[in-house]
Amino acid sequence: MAETIANWFVTTFEGTLAREWIVFLVSLLPILELRGGIIAGFAMNMEWLPTFIIAYIGNILPIPFILLFIRYIFKVLKKTPMRRVVEWCERRAEQKSEQIRKYAYWGVFLFVA
């Protein structure tokens, strides 16, 4: 599925956008993320290192905004038909919060290492 969507981006926008922008935009999408960006770069015959760097930046860029605005986004979504999904996500996060606090040091250690 990721390959199909990435190839659609390539065939649709290759003449109008630079290859680097296509990789970046594909990497921003939640479904495709890094994998889709790399597939799109290879489909356009880009070198592997620039493809990986651009896809990685595109994949990481939304994270600070999500962390900053997730409470506001949930507040807005609770007023829509997505209310049950949002409440489920909040309950699940609350259930896992103690486990995350307990192993936070080791999780960060392993992630950085």
Side-chain angles (χ1 to χ4, degrees):
M1 180 173 154
E3 188 173 351
T4 304
I5 297 171
N7 284 330
W8 177 83
F9 261 89
V10 171
T11 56
T12 305
F13 297 110
E14 191 169 17
T16 57
L17 290 175
R19 299 179 311 172
E20 293 80 6
W21 278 106
I22 294 172
V23 171
F24 180 76
L25 292 173
V26 169
S27 298
L28 285 173
L29 298 174
I31 295 173
L32 301 177
E33 297 178 336
L34 194 63
R35 295 177 302 274
I38 291 171
I39 291 170
F42 287 149
M44 295 181 291
N45 298 320
M46 289 179 63
E47 295 291 323
W48 72 269
L49 187 59
T51 300
F52 175 76
I53 292 170
I54 294 167
Y56 183 77
I57 292 169
N59 191 270
I60 296 296
L61 187 66
I63 293 172
F65 298 103
I66 292 169
L67 293 175
L68 285 173
F69 298 114
I70 193 68
R71 293 185 199 280
Y72 176 74
I73 293 168
F74 275 5
K75 183 178 174 183
V76 170
L77 286 176
K78 281 184 179 179
K79 298 175 185 174
T80 69
M82 297 278 300
R83 178 185 176 99
R84 286 190 172 161
V85 174
V86 171
E87 289 173 348
W88 177 82
C89 288
E90 287 178 332
R91 278 193 312 272
R92 184 151 168 101
E94 186 62 36
Q95 290 171 351
K96 300 286 184 177
S97 66
E98 184 59 36
Q99 190 176 16
I100 290 170
R101 284 187 195 102
K102 183 178 178 183
Y103 296 110
Y105 173 78
W106 290 109
V108 171
F109 174 79
L110 290 172
F111 178 73
V112 172

